[in-house]
CSV table of all heavy atoms in Angstrom, one decimal:
chain,number,residue,atom,x,y,z
U,227,GLY,N,-20.9,-67.9,-105.4
U,227,GLY,CA,-20.9,-68.2,-106.9
U,227,GLY,C,-21.2,-66.9,-107.7
U,227,GLY,O,-20.6,-66.7,-108.7
U,228,PHE,N,-22.1,-66.0,-107.2
U,228,PHE,CA,-22.3,-64.8,-107.8
U,228,PHE,C,-21.1,-63.9,-107.8
U,228,PHE,O,-20.8,-63.3,-108.8
U,228,PHE,CB,-23.5,-64.1,-107.1
U,228,PHE,CG,-23.8,-62.7,-107.6
U,228,PHE,CD1,-24.4,-62.5,-108.8
U,228,PHE,CD2,-23.5,-61.6,-106.8
U,228,PHE,CE1,-24.6,-61.2,-109.3
U,228,PHE,CE2,-23.8,-60.3,-107.2
U,228,PHE,CZ,-24.3,-60.1,-108.5
U,229,ALA,N,-20.4,-63.8,-106.7
U,229,ALA,CA,-19.2,-63.0,-106.6
U,229,ALA,C,-18.2,-63.5,-107.6
U,229,ALA,O,-17.5,-62.7,-108.2
U,229,ALA,CB,-18.7,-63.0,-105.2
U,230,SER,N,-18.0,-64.8,-107.7
U,230,SER,CA,-17.0,-65.4,-108.6
U,230,SER,C,-17.4,-65.0,-110.0
U,230,SER,O,-16.5,-64.7,-110.8
U,230,SER,CB,-17.0,-66.9,-108.4
U,230,SER,OG,-16.1,-67.5,-109.3
U,231,THR,N,-18.6,-65.1,-110.4
U,231,THR,CA,-19.0,-64.8,-111.8
U,231,THR,C,-18.7,-63.3,-112.1
U,231,THR,O,-18.2,-63.0,-113.2
U,231,THR,CB,-20.6,-65.0,-111.9
U,231,THR,OG1,-20.8,-66.4,-111.7
U,231,THR,CG2,-21.0,-64.6,-113.3
U,232,ARG,N,-19.0,-62.4,-111.2
U,232,ARG,CA,-18.8,-61.0,-111.4
U,232,ARG,C,-17.4,-60.6,-111.5
U,232,ARG,O,-17.0,-59.7,-112.1
U,232,ARG,CB,-19.5,-60.2,-110.3
U,232,ARG,CG,-21.1,-60.2,-110.4
U,232,ARG,CD,-21.6,-59.3,-111.5
U,232,ARG,NE,-21.4,-59.7,-112.8
U,232,ARG,CZ,-22.1,-60.4,-113.6
U,232,ARG,NH1,-23.3,-60.9,-113.1
U,232,ARG,NH2,-21.8,-60.7,-114.8
U,233,ARG,N,-16.5,-61.4,-110.8
U,233,ARG,CA,-15.1,-61.1,-110.8
U,233,ARG,C,-14.4,-61.3,-112.2
U,233,ARG,O,-13.4,-60.8,-112.5
U,233,ARG,CB,-14.3,-62.0,-109.8
U,233,ARG,CG,-14.6,-61.6,-108.3
U,233,ARG,CD,-14.0,-62.6,-107.4
U,233,ARG,NE,-14.4,-62.4,-106.0
U,233,ARG,CZ,-14.4,-63.2,-105.0
U,233,ARG,NH1,-13.9,-64.5,-105.3
U,233,ARG,NH2,-14.8,-62.9,-103.8
U,234,ARG,N,-15.1,-62.1,-113.0
U,234,ARG,CA,-14.5,-62.4,-114.3
U,234,ARG,C,-14.4,-61.2,-115.2
U,234,ARG,O,-13.5,-61.0,-116.0
U,234,ARG,CB,-15.4,-63.5,-115.0
U,234,ARG,CG,-15.4,-64.8,-114.4
U,234,ARG,CD,-16.4,-65.8,-115.0
U,234,ARG,NE,-16.7,-67.0,-114.2
U,234,ARG,CZ,-17.7,-67.8,-114.4
U,234,ARG,NH1,-18.6,-67.5,-115.4
U,234,ARG,NH2,-17.9,-68.8,-113.6
U,235,GLN,N,-15.4,-60.3,-115.0
U,235,GLN,CA,-15.4,-59.0,-115.8
U,235,GLN,C,-14.9,-57.8,-114.9
U,235,GLN,O,-14.9,-56.7,-115.5
U,235,GLN,CB,-16.8,-58.8,-116.4
U,235,GLN,CG,-17.2,-59.8,-117.4
U,235,GLN,CD,-16.3,-59.8,-118.6
U,235,GLN,OE1,-15.8,-58.8,-119.1
U,235,GLN,NE2,-16.0,-61.1,-119.1
U,236,CYS,N,-14.6,-58.1,-113.7
U,236,CYS,CA,-14.2,-57.0,-112.8
U,236,CYS,C,-13.0,-57.4,-112.0
U,236,CYS,O,-13.1,-57.9,-110.9
U,236,CYS,CB,-15.4,-56.6,-111.9
U,236,CYS,SG,-15.1,-55.2,-110.8
U,237,PRO,N,-11.8,-57.2,-112.6
U,237,PRO,CA,-10.6,-57.7,-111.8
U,237,PRO,C,-10.3,-56.8,-110.6
U,237,PRO,O,-10.9,-55.8,-110.4
U,237,PRO,CB,-9.5,-57.5,-112.9
U,237,PRO,CG,-10.0,-56.4,-113.8
U,237,PRO,CD,-11.5,-56.6,-113.9
U,238,PHE,N,-9.5,-57.3,-109.8
U,238,PHE,CA,-9.2,-56.7,-108.5
U,238,PHE,C,-8.6,-55.3,-108.7
U,238,PHE,O,-8.8,-54.3,-108.0
U,238,PHE,CB,-8.2,-57.5,-107.7
U,238,PHE,CG,-8.0,-57.0,-106.2
U,238,PHE,CD1,-9.0,-57.2,-105.3
U,238,PHE,CD2,-6.9,-56.3,-105.9
U,238,PHE,CE1,-8.9,-56.8,-104.0
U,238,PHE,CE2,-6.8,-55.8,-104.6
U,238,PHE,CZ,-7.7,-56.1,-103.6
U,239,THR,N,-7.8,-55.1,-109.8
U,239,THR,CA,-7.3,-53.8,-110.2
U,239,THR,C,-7.6,-53.7,-111.7
U,239,THR,O,-7.5,-54.7,-112.5
U,239,THR,CB,-5.8,-53.7,-109.9
U,239,THR,OG1,-5.1,-54.8,-110.6
U,239,THR,CG2,-5.5,-53.7,-108.5
U,240,GLY,N,-7.9,-52.5,-112.2
U,240,GLY,CA,-8.1,-52.2,-113.6
U,240,GLY,C,-9.5,-52.6,-114.0
U,240,GLY,O,-10.3,-53.1,-113.2
U,241,GLY,N,-9.9,-52.2,-115.2
U,241,GLY,CA,-11.2,-52.5,-115.7
U,241,GLY,C,-12.3,-51.8,-115.0
U,241,GLY,O,-13.5,-52.3,-114.9
U,242,ASN,N,-12.1,-50.6,-114.5
U,242,ASN,CA,-13.1,-49.8,-113.8
U,242,ASN,C,-14.4,-49.6,-114.5
U,242,ASN,O,-15.4,-49.6,-113.9
U,242,ASN,CB,-12.5,-48.5,-113.4
U,242,ASN,CG,-11.5,-48.6,-112.2
U,242,ASN,OD1,-11.4,-49.6,-111.6
U,242,ASN,ND2,-10.9,-47.5,-111.9
U,243,ASP,N,-14.3,-49.4,-115.9
U,243,ASP,CA,-15.5,-49.2,-116.7
U,243,ASP,C,-16.1,-50.4,-117.2
U,243,ASP,O,-17.2,-50.3,-117.9
U,243,ASP,CB,-15.1,-48.2,-117.8
U,243,ASP,CG,-14.7,-46.8,-117.3
U,243,ASP,OD1,-15.1,-46.4,-116.2
U,243,ASP,OD2,-14.0,-46.1,-118.1
Side-chain angles (χ1 to χ4, degrees):
F228 173 72
S230 178
T231 298
R232 291 280 69 93
R233 289 172 189 163
R234 296 172 193 166
Q235 294 298 321
C236 184
F238 191 75
T239 57
N242 284 353
D243 291 338

